[in-house]
Amino acid sequence: DRWTRLTTTHFEMYTTADQKKAHDAILYFERVREFFLQASPVRPPAEFPTRIVAFKDAQMMHVYAPNQSVAAFYAPGPVRDSIVMTDPGPASYPVAIHEYVHLVVRHSGLHLPLWLNEGWAEVYSTLRPEKDGVAVGDLIPGHMTLLGRGGWFSLSELDAVNNHSPEYNESARTGMFYAESWALTHMLYLSPEYKDNFGKFIGALNRGRTILEAVRTVYGKTATEVFADLQGYLARKKLYGTVFLTPFEKPGEAPVVTPVLPYDGSLMLADLHAASLHLADAGRAYQQLETDDPKRPEAFAGAGYLAVQTGDRETA
């Protein structure tokens, strides 16, 4: 497929999808970034533009994805971070915002447990413009359905899930992990009983406290009491959203559209392979690019960073 590049002040989009959708999507991301600058307790990075890669279809995206179940993914890199999605229309904005939150959290320097990282991203994925600002916290019907069936994790079980756990990687429990992470984060971040001390709770977790220690220290409650509060919170089927009184205005700039040279398109795809730990595929791609244009340094740099990932310091 032929790649097109669109650039704005803070974003760069590579896409094989419809150019009008891509144009609208990159401007939407500029608005989302401005919202986070104004209203979020964590701030987006300012050092370099964020790359968005928008494939035309999911089949091609999954060639470069960390697993086959993702609808979008965040690909951190040593030089450039990417958010990878398909079909950059409004229906894809929630999953793309979810991945953008991961990027923002990573660059904030916070060390959060996986459940909170995913739960916070899910809460913000519901972001939508309102007349007076930006609404956050709408119900997510799929999560409500799963939670209504029971089979919840205990808080300590939720806290124990990490990136390598089967509960996070395509098991029958993955959906429940996301749903319960969203629900617990929603209550702690937005409910009147908990939201005032959410910053202290984040601080406790960032210092390495477990969820059981953090709720006891910050809220003066046991895990059993917080779990009961969460079940009661979900039972009423009407959660507390909030409207941030922050303008969500369209940026004045127009994206600059340029064609993508074959080298640059192949380099971007090699970087995605590397981010998804497809080490053999990434290595072959960088090697081919070194041969194609030995005067350009980017593929050599990519191969060097890849060697660092595998512990091969001499090659790096």
Side-chain angles (χ1 to χ4, degrees), residues 8-9 26-32 248-255:
T8 57
T9 303
I26 196 170
L27 293 182
Y28 190 83
F29 266 93
E30 284 286 354
R31 298 164 77 186
V32 169
F248 199 70
E249 299 170 351
K250 291 183 178 180
E253 65 179 319

Side-chain angles (χ1 to χ4, degrees), residues 12 46 57 80 96-97 102 121 125 136 144 168 170 187 238 250 264 270-271 279 287 294-296 301 315:
E12 170 189 63
D57 61 73
R80 177 69 59 85
I97 291 171
H102 289 323
S125 75
V136 172
M144 294 296 290
Y168 185 64
E170 302 184 73
M187 181 182 78
K238 187 177 181 182
K250 291 183 178 180
D264 293 324
D271 289 345
L279 303 183
Q287 188 174 36
K295 292 185 178 181
R296 286 192 59 167
T315 298

Side-chain angles (χ1 to χ4, degrees), residues 239-270:
L239 306 191
Y240 291 95
T242 191
V243 175
F244 294 91
L245 299 178
T246 302
F248 199 70
E249 299 170 351
K250 291 183 178 180
E253 65 179 319
V256 176
V257 181
T258 55
V260 176
L261 297 174
Y263 182 100
D264 293 324
S266 297
L267 178 68
M268 177 270 296
L269 295 173

Side-chain angles (χ1 to χ4, degrees), residues 145-164:
T145 299
L146 268 180
L147 292 163
R149 294 173 184 164
W152 293 26
F153 294 92
S154 70
L155 294 196
S156 58
E157 288 172 335
L158 199 67
D159 204 35
V161 176
N162 60 41
N163 292 82
H164 305 293

